[in-house]
Amino acid sequence: MNYFPDEVLEHVFDFITSHKDRNSVSLVCKSWYKIERCSRQRVFIGNCYSISPERLIARFPGLKSLTLKGKPHFADFNLVPHDWGGFVYPWIKALAKSRIGLEELRLKRMVVSDESLELLSKSFVNFKSLVLVSCEGFTTDGLAAIAANCRFLRELDLQENEVDDHRGHWLSCFPESCTSLISLNFACLRGEVNLGALERLVSRSPNLKSLRLNRAVPLDTLQKLLMRAPQLVDLGIGSYVHDPFSEVYNKLKIAIQRCKSIRSLSGFLEVAPHCMSAIYPIFGNLTFLNLSYAPGLHGNKLMKLIQHCRKLQRLWILDCIGDKGLGVVALTCKELQELRVFPSDPFGAGNAAVTEEGLVLVSAGCPKLNSLLYFCQQMTNAALITVAKNCPNFIRFRLCILDPIKPDPVTNQPLDEGFGAIVQSCKGLKRLSLSGLLTDQVFLYIGMYAEQLEMLSIAFAADSDKGMLYVLNGCKKLRKLEIRDCPFGDAALLEDVGKYETMRSLWMSSCEVTLGGCKSVAEKMPSLNVEIIDECEQMEFNLDDKQKVDKMYLYRTLVGHRKDAPEYVLIL
Amino acid sequence: MSSENGKRLLETDAGGLNFEATELTLGLPGEPRVTSDGGAKLGSKRGFSETVDLKLGDNNREVKLGHSLQEAAKSPVSKTQVVGWPPVRGFAKRGKKSCKYVKVAVDGAPYLRKVDLEIYNSYQQLLTSLEDMFSCFTIRNYLNEKKIEQVNGIEYMPTYEDKDGDWMLVGDVPWQMFVESCKRLRLMKSSEAVGLGLTTGPKYSSTN
C-alpha cells in the first residue's frame, strides 16, 4: 500500500479537515496512523474525562488547536453541582510541560481558574486564540493575564461565562504593541470597562473583524468604536440607549453608514426601541441577528426591524415576537436556516407569546429551515405534521413546551404523532429534544426512523422501559442520550450495556434506575465510568442496591476513574 | 414495518392544517396501536392544567410522574417551579437587568450551592427551589405557617446575611428589598435556632 513517500500522504491528509474523517484515516493501517498523528494539528475531545492530557500529548506532538468539553449538558440547567468537575488546569499544566506549541484553546462547560489562564498566557509563545463557552471559575484578573502576556493574540471570545468581574483594568493590560486582534467578545462580563483603553485597542487593531461589547459600553463609545473600525463583520452592541435628538445619535448614524461589512449583529443588552432607526441601514445585509438579550424590543418596532432583514440566515429572538411577528419573519426571511425562540418569562403565568401557529408560519415561509430551538406555550400534532411536511431538512429540532407534560390542546392527545412525523420526514435529523405529553409510542417512531440521530434529550416522557429500549435498539448513530424524570429503570438500562461504549455519554436523573442496576453496568463494562451524583449523601449511610439513584452519568473512557471527583460523586 | 401505514401518516390535504391527520397512527404489525381514547386517558392521568396547577385527575390509575413533578405536586403553591425547567441557560441574563447569585449553605451539607435570586418572584418560589436542591431536607415554611411533612425529622430555618453583615430570618421584608440586600443564605437547623428566640413568623405576607 505504501507506494508514496510519507510527505505525499501527509500532504493528501492536509485536505482532510473533519475530525471524523481524520479519525477514520488513522484506522487504515499502522503507517497511516503514524503519519496522521504526526501531522494532526486540531483535536476535538468531547468529554475531557475520556482521555488524559498525557496520552493526547504523546499521540499528537504537532498539536496546535485543542477543543475540550467538560460538564454534561444538563449542567446548563442547574442539574449538576458547580464543583462536579471539568477542570482545565491539569490539561494546561501538562501541555505547558510538554513541547506542544499550543495556539488555540476552545473550552465548553469547564472550570477555568485564574491560575490556569495565567499559566496558559505564559507557556505558549504563539498562543493566538482563546474561546470560552459556558465556563466558570475565573475572574477578570485571569483575562488581564491573557491580555498582558499573549503577544500575538488574535481571538478572545467569551460566550455566556460566569465571570467574577473585578472591574476595569483588564482591557488596559493589552500592551501598545498588541495589534493583532481579529476577534474580541466580552459581552458576558457584567462590570465596567476602561472605555479609553477600549477605544485605543480598537484603533490599533486594523484586522478587527468581530467585536462584541458588554452592557457597560454606552452608545457614545459605540459610535467612536465604529468610526475606528468600519471593517467590522460581526458587532455586538452593549448599551443602546440614547436621546434620538442628540449629536451623539447623529454621529452614530454616520458611523453606521460607513460599516458596510457588518453581517452579524447581537447584544442590545439595554435598548431604547425608538433609537433603532439609526441602524436600519445594516439590517438589509445581515445574515445573523441575535436579539435574545433584548426584551425591550417587541411589538411593532420589532416587526418593522425584521422587515428589513431579507438576507437573514440565522435568527435568535425572544418569544415576545409573538406568532404575528413570526409571520413577518416568514414573509421576509426567505433565506432563513436557523431559528431560536427563547422564553422571555419562563416562570410566568402563561404570558409566553408563541404557539404552534408561529412555527407553522415560519415552516411554510422559510423552506431552507434546518435548525430549530423553540420555546412555546403549546404545540399540536397537526402543526408538527405540517412542519414536517414543509421542512424535511431539519438537522436540529429542539422543541420546549413550557408546561412539560402538556398534551395537544386541541385533541388532548399526546404529541407522539407529531414528533413521529418529524423523525420520519427529516431523514438527516441529528439532534432532537422532546417535550409535551409523550408516551412510549414516540420512542417507537424515533427508533424506527431517526437513523442519523446523534443526540436525544428527553424529559417527563414515556410510560415504561420500552420507550428507552426502542431508542437504544433503533438509533444506531446515537452518541449522547440525556433523560430526566422518565419511568426508565434497570431493565432498560441493562438490556444492552455494550451500546454505551458506542456512545459518548448517558445521563439519567429522576428516573427509576437503582444503585444495583448502575453497579451492574459498571461491573460489566470496565471501559465506562458510571458516576452517581449523591447530593444528600444518602448513599453514604444506606448502600441499599434497591435504592433509586437520583442522578447517574456514565461515559466511555480510556483512562479509568477520574481522581478529581468531589465527595458526593460516587464512581462505581 | 408497515410502510402503508407510514405513508398514510403524512397524507394531508394540499395546504393548511389537516386535523384528520391526527387520527392516523403508525405501528409495527402486531403492535397494539394507540387507541382513540388512549390520549384522553393519559390526559387525565397527568391532568396538567393551563396554569401549571398540578391537579392529578383520575386517582384510580397509577400515576407515573417524574420524581420532580411529584415533588412539585405536593407543594401547597399553585405556581411551582421544577428544578432545571424550562431548560434555558442563563435566563437571568435575558429579560432581566441583572443577575444575583448568592451562596446557599445548609448546616450539615458538605458543599454550598449558588442560586440566582433574580429568577424568583417570591419567597415561596425561592424556598421551593431550595427544597428541591437539597431535597432531603424540609424547610420550615413560616410564610404559610403550614407544617410540611418532614422527611427525616430535620427541619431547617432559612436565614440570610444582609448588606450590614447581620443574620436575618428570611421573610420579614418585601421580596424585592430582600433580593437587594441579601448577600448569602444559610439554612440553619431549627434546633439551633430555638435558642435564638425566632419563634414568631415574619410580618411580611406571602401574597407579594
Side-chain angles (χ1 to χ4, degrees), chain A residues 160-207:
Chain A
E160 308 221 354
N161 301 291
E162 271 177 44
V163 185
D164 223 333
D165 200 326
H166 293 167
R167 279 164 182 62
H169 89 292
W170 68 275
L171 259 180
S172 320
C173 294
F174 281 103
E176 289 302 312
S177 55
C178 174
T179 57
S180 46
L181 271 182
I182 298 179
S183 167
L184 177 63
N185 171 8
F186 60 93
C188 66
L189 295 184
R190 292 199 277 279
E192 305 299 311
V193 286
N194 184 327
L195 299 176
L198 176 61
E199 285 172 45
R200 288 189 296 278
L201 179 61
V202 169
S203 292
R204 65 176 185 274
S205 304
N207 298 320

Side-chain angles (χ1 to χ4, degrees), chain A residues 92-93 103 116 139 177 224 243 305 311 402 419 530 560:
Chain A
I92 297 180
K93 186 161 157 219
E103 295 185 11
S116 340
T139 77
S177 55
K224 290 181 196 159
D243 174 2
L305 205 152
K311 296 192 186 159
L402 293 174
F419 281 106
V530 181

Side-chain angles (χ1 to χ4, degrees), chain B residues 10-129:
Chain B
L10 288 183
E11 261 171 38
T12 58
D13 294 339
L17 303 174
N18 181 356
F19 289 95
E20 281 155 352
T22 58
E23 291 176 9
L24 302 175
T25 59
L26 285 176
L28 295 172
E31 280 279 342
R33 282 144 146 255
V34 173
T35 58
S36 55
D37 69 340
K41 273 190 205 152
L42 289 162
S44 62
K45 217 199 249 187
R46 311 281 174 109
F48 220 102
S49 83
E50 288 276 299
T51 55
V52 199
D53 238 326
L54 294 168
K55 300 189 192 100
L56 302 177
D58 195 329
N59 292 327
N60 289 336
R61 292 185 171 77
E62 194 196 342
V63 177
K64 286 183 202 154
L65 284 181
H67 172 261
S68 310
L69 280 182
Q70 282 174 345
E71 286 303 306
K74 285 185 203 151
S75 164
V77 187
S78 59
K79 295 278 161 59
T80 302
Q81 291 171 29
V82 174
V83 173
W85 193 269
V88 53
R89 185 188 158 83
F91 163 68
K93 293 165 203 162
R94 305 185 147 97
K96 303 269 180 180
K97 274 195 188 268
S98 61
C99 179
K100 185 152 181 188
Y101 276 96
V102 297
K103 291 182 185 173
V104 183
V106 176
D107 287 354
Y111 62 93
L112 279 57
R113 297 297 296 269
K114 263 192 170 172
V115 291
D116 175 11
L117 295 179
E118 292 283 354
I119 68 174
Y120 305 108
N121 294 322
S122 69
Y123 286 112
Q124 192 55 57
Q125 284 181 4
L126 169 65
L127 293 177
T128 305
S129 185

Side-chain angles (χ1 to χ4, degrees), chain A residues 268-286:
Chain A
F268 298 96
L269 306 174
E270 241 175 29
V271 61
H274 50 275
C275 294
M276 293 304 282
S277 53
I279 53 173
Y280 279 174
I282 55 175
F283 283 107
N285 287 324
L286 291 181

Side-chain angles (χ1 to χ4, degrees), chain A residues 13 20 31 76 78 102 143 145 192 197 251 253 307 343 355 362 407 414 433 450 531 538 541 558 564 566:
Chain A
F13 292 170
K20 272 191 192 145
S31 90
D76 282 355
N78 292 332
L102 195 68
L143 298 178
E192 305 299 311
K251 284 188 185 170
K253 280 193 197 170
Q307 280 167 340
T355 69
V362 174
S433 302
E531 299 190 5
Q538 282 168 344
F541 299 119
L558 293 174
D564 62 1

Side-chain angles (χ1 to χ4, degrees), chain A residues 154-416:
Chain A
R154 291 194 198 161
E155 181 175 26
L156 179 58
D157 185 358
L158 307 171
Q159 297 175 34
E160 308 221 354
N161 301 291
E162 271 177 44
V163 185
D164 223 333
D165 200 326
H166 293 167
R167 279 164 182 62
H169 89 292
W170 68 275
L171 259 180
S172 320
C173 294
F174 281 103
E176 289 302 312
S177 55
C178 174
T179 57
S180 46
L181 271 182
I182 298 179
S183 167
L184 177 63
N185 171 8
F186 60 93
C188 66
L189 295 184
R190 292 199 277 279
E192 305 299 311
V193 286
N194 184 327
L195 299 176
L198 176 61
E199 285 172 45
R200 288 189 296 278
L201 179 61
V202 169
S203 292
R204 65 176 185 274
S205 304
N207 298 320
L208 194 67
K209 291 280 190 296
S210 169
L211 178 64
R212 297 192 185 189
L213 310 167
N214 76 350
R215 171 178 271 122
V217 180
L219 199 110
D220 58 338
T221 305
L222 172 67
Q223 169 265 123
K224 290 181 196 159
L225 294 172
L226 290 178
M227 287 301 283
R228 288 166 168 79
Q231 76 282 4
L232 281 179
V233 171
D234 169 29
L235 175 64
I237 291 179
S239 171
Y240 193 77
V241 178
H242 219 276
D243 174 2
F245 300 110
S246 67
E247 203 195 314
V248 170
Y249 191 69
N250 283 330
K251 284 188 185 170
L252 177 68
K253 280 193 197 170
I254 297 168
I256 283 287
Q257 265 154 23
R258 297 177 67 219
C259 295
K260 305 222 185 288
S261 307
I262 296 181
R263 298 286 172 271
S264 161
L265 186 64
S266 61
F268 298 96
L269 306 174
E270 241 175 29
V271 61
H274 50 275
C275 294
M276 293 304 282
S277 53
I279 53 173
Y280 279 174
I282 55 175
F283 283 107
N285 287 324
L286 291 181
T287 55
F288 175 46
L289 177 61
N290 180 356
L291 295 176
S292 65
Y293 283 91
L297 285 172
H298 53 261
N300 288 333
K301 287 268 173 356
L302 179 56
M303 289 200 256
K304 216 170 152 214
L305 205 152
I306 299 282
Q307 280 167 340
H308 285 83
C309 302
R310 301 199 164 275
K311 296 192 186 159
L312 215 54
Q313 294 173 13
R314 297 166 61 214
L315 176 63
W316 294 20
I317 198 99
L318 287 172
D319 61 5
C320 41
I321 191 175
D323 288 333
K324 203 163 154 229
L326 289 176
V328 174
V329 172
L331 286 173
T332 313
C333 311
K334 295 302 179 190
E335 301 299 313
L336 198 68
Q337 295 174 28
E338 176 180 323
L339 175 66
R340 296 195 189 192
V341 180
F342 293 95
S344 49
D345 186 15
F347 308 121
N351 289 326
V354 297
T355 69
E356 75 278 9
E357 288 178 18
L359 183 60
V360 169
L361 288 171
V362 174
S363 74
C366 309
K368 296 188 182 178
L369 197 63
N370 62 36
S371 176
L372 181 75
L373 173 61
Y374 196 73
F375 286 83
C376 58
Q377 179 70 357
Q378 62 182 46
M379 185 53 56
T380 64
N381 282 309
L384 285 173
I385 290 168
T386 303
V387 169
K389 187 162 154 271
N390 291 338
C391 297
N393 298 319
F394 274 115
I395 298 173
R396 270 167 244 111
F397 192 89
R398 298 158 69 188
L399 188 73
C400 178
I401 303 168
L402 293 174
D403 173 340
I405 52 173
K406 189 170 178 138
D408 178 330
V410 173
T411 62
N412 218 35
Q413 301 281 321
L415 291 174
D416 303 334

